[in-house]
Amino acid sequence: MARLAVDVMLKPEILDPQGQAIARKLPQMGFEGIAGVRQGKRFELVVEGPADEAAVERVRKIADTLLANPVIETYEVHVLSDN
Amino acid sequence: MARLAVDVMLKPEILDPQGQAIARKLPQMGFEGIAGVRQGKRFELVVEGPADEAAVERVRKIADTLLANPVIETYEVHVLSDN
């Protein structure tokens, strides 16, 4: 079994009202020095078999199809563990 | 400026209906061999100053206060870039 993560973020040119709301709130709560916040999604998948190139490719296909909207989002796939 | 990520996931003992819905859908779409899916949130913060221990500690305080619910969620902080 392998564990892989898919991190999905809005493209930089897409407005992120959730992230902006958090960034606006921070100074009111005493947190200074944060220049920006973006909010995205993270998926953790347990894949049968080893965390090899084929597993990463399979997860990329799932991300393309189901987890990310390629019009407004980008994603990265990371291997978390392999055993 | 430093970029840090906060990955927020539901604790393992907390049910994740969104992740379960994705996991159920995968075989219908031709993706076999995925044993589980968990959905969480990812935040990327731009912090003024270097990506040092103090920046990580500041982001941890923000995560504790605003980004994660410690009753049902855990989080990890990662440094993405430092320049």
Side-chain angles (χ1 to χ4, degrees):
Chain A
M1 294 286 199
R3 279 178 61 244
L4 289 89
V6 182
D7 293 322
V8 180
M9 300 300 293
L10 288 166
K11 290 181 181 177
E13 66 269 27
I14 305 291
L15 271 180
D16 173 12
Q18 290 181 298
Q20 288 176 340
I22 295 166
R24 260 199 314 275
K25 195 78 190 167
L26 289 173
Q28 302 172 24
M29 301 182 71
F31 297 110
E32 304 288 344
I34 306 297
V37 179
R38 304 280 287 175
Q39 177 165 354
K41 288 176 288 185
R42 180 180 176 88
F43 300 92
E44 292 186 5
L45 284 78
V46 179
V47 183
E48 290 168 10
D52 55 8
E53 193 56 46
V56 171
E57 192 48 43
R58 192 149 38 131
V59 170
R60 277 193 184 285
K61 286 216 178 86
I62 292 170
D64 283 329
T65 312
L66 203 63
L67 305 182
N69 176 348
V71 178
I72 58 168
E73 293 171 328
T74 59
Y75 68 86
E76 287 179 12
V77 176
H78 303 279
V79 174
L80 300 176
S81 66
D82 183 4
N83 52 331
Chain B
M1 294 286 200
R3 279 178 61 243
L4 290 89
V6 181
D7 293 322
V8 180
M9 299 301 293
L10 288 166
K11 289 181 181 176
E13 66 269 28
I14 305 291
L15 271 180
D16 173 11
Q18 290 181 299
Q20 287 175 342
I22 294 167
R24 262 200 314 273
K25 194 80 190 166
L26 289 173
Q28 302 172 23
M29 301 182 71
F31 297 110
E32 304 288 344
I34 307 297
V37 179
R38 304 280 287 173
Q39 177 165 352
K41 289 176 286 184
R42 180 180 177 89
F43 300 91
E44 292 185 5
L45 284 78
V46 179
V47 182
E48 291 167 10
D52 55 8
E53 192 57 46
V56 172
E57 193 47 44
R58 192 150 36 133
V59 169
R60 276 193 186 286
K61 286 215 179 86
I62 292 170
D64 284 328
T65 312
L66 203 62
L67 306 182
N69 177 347
V71 178
I72 59 168
E73 293 170 328
T74 59
Y75 69 85
E76 287 180 12
V77 176
H78 302 280
V79 174
L80 299 176
S81 67
D82 183 5
N83 53 330

